[in-house]
Amino acid sequence: MRTGTVDPMHLKGRTAIVTGASRGIGRAIALRLAREGANIAFNYLSDEAGARSLEKELKALGVAGQGFKADVRDYGQVQKMREAVSAQFEGFDILVNNAGILKDAALMMMAPEDWKNVIDTNLTGIFNVTRAVITTFMKQKKGNIVNIASVSGLRGMARQTNYAASKGGAIAFTKSLAKEVAGHHIRVNAVVPGYIETEMLGHLKKGYLEDAVGKIPLGYIGKPEDVANAVNFLLSPEAQYITGQIVQVDGGMGI
Ligand code: NDP
């Protein structure tokens, strides 16, 4: 193994499951891992066009890529997806839990369904997909999991009690599972993005983002590829002694 840089094509022949990859950060992660040689099984909620175009891009990179329509909130759908992945790919040992949503509101205005939807997607979704694959990872004594959390889950954000609670939960889940499965040679880490240029930011209140940029030490919004690079590092042999860690990709916002 070389040291100092991540070996190119270090994921050759391996298969990664990436949730919520039809667009945004998940898509960038899928493409980044594919460039390292990984075959990609990904899911999405409803964006068929995004899923089909990602499959084409993955094929062009010379790896196997297949999108599955599966709602991470629904354990039955997730199990079916895992079975389909097992049937179509030769084993898998990487999981990136990325699917997530935002439904911001002041608590006094927050609809119970917006609380539930965010917790079910961002936190129960991580449970559902990880639960569906963990037995396989444990049996093969090999596995690598990266959860995508948020600065909101570390520091809290006004109008994001639902989102912050889900992401704080994802961080606690990461640390607990890392301790639980380390003996099976499975690493579990989280990447905590700050503001990243995706459709999700379009849901923020007008003017909010302009204020937020002023509080980012590096002075600009990040790109999905910035998050994908951190995920790639955590999946690489260079990170073999790292587990239960929270890597912030936020331009210094969390300092
Ligand atoms: P986007 O809104 O751009 O994309 C979200 C993705 O998740 C889509 O692929 C969507 O599928 C999928 N998805 C949503 N709900 C479900 C579901 N129930 N089942 C399956 N898939 C689902 O979001 P981002 O790329 O910006 O965010 C990705 C992750 O990064 C999220 O966890 C988010 O919380 C986190 N994050 C993002 C930040 C940002 O600034 N953008 C900052 C901090 C964290 P479909 O296209 O079919 O709807």
Side-chain angles (χ1 to χ4, degrees):
M1 189 202 314
R2 292 188 324 179
T3 54
T5 55
V6 175
D7 281 332
M9 299 297 273
H10 66 94
L11 298 176
K12 195 164 175 47
R14 310 230 332 248
T15 295
I17 298 176
V18 182
T19 70
S22 45
R23 54 197 164 92
I25 293 171
R27 189 183 186 97
I29 292 170
L31 290 168
R32 182 71 178 88
L33 304 187
R35 280 191 200 99
E36 301 299 336
N39 300 314
I40 307 290
F42 68 93
N43 80 326
Y44 59 99
L45 184 62
S46 57
D47 185 0
E48 295 285 348
R52 301 292 85 85
S53 78
L54 177 59
E55 284 171 353
K56 275 190 198 147
E57 280 192 64
L58 291 169
K59 202 173 273 177
L61 289 169
V63 300
Q66 172 83 48
F68 300 89
K69 187 172 170 151
D71 186 338
V72 296
R73 293 170 295 186
D74 181 334
Y75 190 62
Q77 289 189 33
V78 168
Q79 266 187 314
K80 274 197 191 129
M81 174 178 85
R82 192 200 58 74
E83 283 160 19
V85 173
S86 296
Q88 289 177 38
F89 292 83
E90 265 179 49
F92 51 87
D93 63 356
I94 294 166
L95 168 64
V96 182
N97 280 307
N98 163 81
I101 58 165
L102 203 63
K103 295 275 176 196
D104 290 1
L107 187 66
M108 63 184 290
M109 303 295 285
M110 189 177 287
E113 56 268 30
D114 284 347
W115 169 268
K116 186 169 161 33
N117 204 1
V118 168
I119 299 289
D120 286 357
T121 305
N122 299 2
L123 182 55
T124 308
I126 291 182
F127 164 79
N128 285 340
V129 185
T130 310
R131 175 70 182 80
V133 305
I134 199 71
T135 310
T136 303
F137 284 12
M138 289 174 84
K139 278 189 187 152
Q140 67 198 15
K141 287 204 171 293
K142 191 177 168 203
N144 208 327
I145 300 171
V146 178
N147 297 320
I148 306 301
S150 165
V151 168
S152 187
L154 281 176
R155 304 186 349 162
M157 296 265 183
R159 297 172 41 81
Q160 288 196 339
T161 49
N162 51 358
Y163 186 75
S166 72
K167 295 298 186 178
I171 289 167
F173 179 99
T174 300
K175 292 180 180 179
S176 298
L177 188 65
K179 284 185 173 171
E180 190 173 312
V181 297
H184 288 78
H185 308 288
I186 300 167
R187 295 191 294 109
V188 191
N189 290 289
V191 170
V192 166
Y195 293 107
I196 305 294
E197 217 177 285
T198 70
E199 283 176 37
M200 186 175 266
L201 289 192
H203 299 292
L204 293 175
K205 230 177 154 190
K206 226 176 167 357
Y208 185 95
L209 206 54
E210 289 72 14
D211 290 348
V213 174
K215 294 181 187 129
I216 301 172
L218 285 180
Y220 61 92
I221 304 283
K223 299 255 185 254
E225 291 72 21
D226 294 320
V227 180
N229 287 337
V231 172
N232 180 52
F233 167 70
L234 287 169
L235 295 175
S236 77
E238 306 275 323
Q240 65 187 8
Y241 201 51
I242 300 176
T243 196
Q245 296 307 301
I246 311 305
V247 177
Q248 291 181 236
V249 180
D250 63 359
M253 194 182 146
I255 297 169

